[in-house]
Amino acid sequence: MASKSKLKGKSEMTLEDQKKINAFANANAAYQDVKEEIEARKKEVQNLSDGSDDVLMMDDGVKVPYVLGEVFIDMEQDEAQEMMETAKTTAEARLTELQEKASGLQATMKKLKVDLYAKFGDNINLESEE
């Protein structure tokens, strides 16, 4: 886009407008990435919760195979339960951080949308293709 191009005879595109459009595109891309990571963290939290429940239902004295990296380690039930709870707490904290980041990105995009639609109206499309 040229910085001085005409848009259906209504408004001229300025460098500031281009910066806003680029900022919106960057925020939107980051938001999409954060949404994907949020879904992954939700799945991780659910898996840890399910695994913790399964360990609780096991017979006493049975060793629990626990994955550390790419290796399975047999652990006592209490130790495995504690490891899963710690991992779940960490995943929940990361999930909260991601949700806050997503909210911030949405607020940024909303402000930029208002500014850009006010200037360009129907000449610009900032809606996602979901």
Side-chain angles (χ1 to χ4, degrees), residues 106-119:
Q106 282 181 314
T108 299
M109 291 186 324
K110 184 175 181 180
K111 182 186 179 324
L112 289 168
K113 271 186 184 183
V114 168
D115 292 347
L116 291 167
Y117 277 131
K119 181 162 185 179

Side-chain angles (χ1 to χ4, degrees), residues 4 8 10 20 33 36 43 50 61 63 68 73 79 85 88 91 98-99 104 110 117 119 121-123 128 130:
K4 299 285 182 178
K8 293 187 182 177
K10 296 218 176 187
K20 286 181 181 180
D33 291 343
E36 288 176 15
K43 185 176 180 181
D50 292 346
K63 296 272 186 175
L68 286 176
I73 298 174
E79 187 179 7
E85 288 301 319
K88 182 179 171 188
L98 290 168
Q99 288 170 332
K110 184 175 181 180
Y117 277 131
K119 181 162 185 179
D122 292 338
N123 293 323
S128 63
E130 291 181 49

Side-chain angles (χ1 to χ4, degrees), residues 10-60:
K10 296 218 176 187
S11 301
E12 283 192 21
M13 173 86 61
T14 64
L15 180 59
E16 189 64 33
D17 296 332
Q18 284 184 335
K19 286 180 181 178
K20 286 181 181 180
I21 291 168
N22 289 340
F24 180 86
N26 291 337
N28 189 44
Y31 177 71
Q32 297 304 319
D33 291 343
V34 168
K35 272 184 19 178
E36 288 176 15
E37 194 170 344
I38 285 172
E39 290 306 312
R41 288 306 135 245
K42 283 181 180 178
K43 185 176 180 181
E44 179 182 5
V45 168
Q46 184 60 47
N47 289 343
L48 287 165
S49 181
D50 292 346
S52 182
D53 292 344
D54 289 346
V55 168
L56 284 174
M57 295 194 307
M58 294 177 80
D59 293 331
D60 288 338

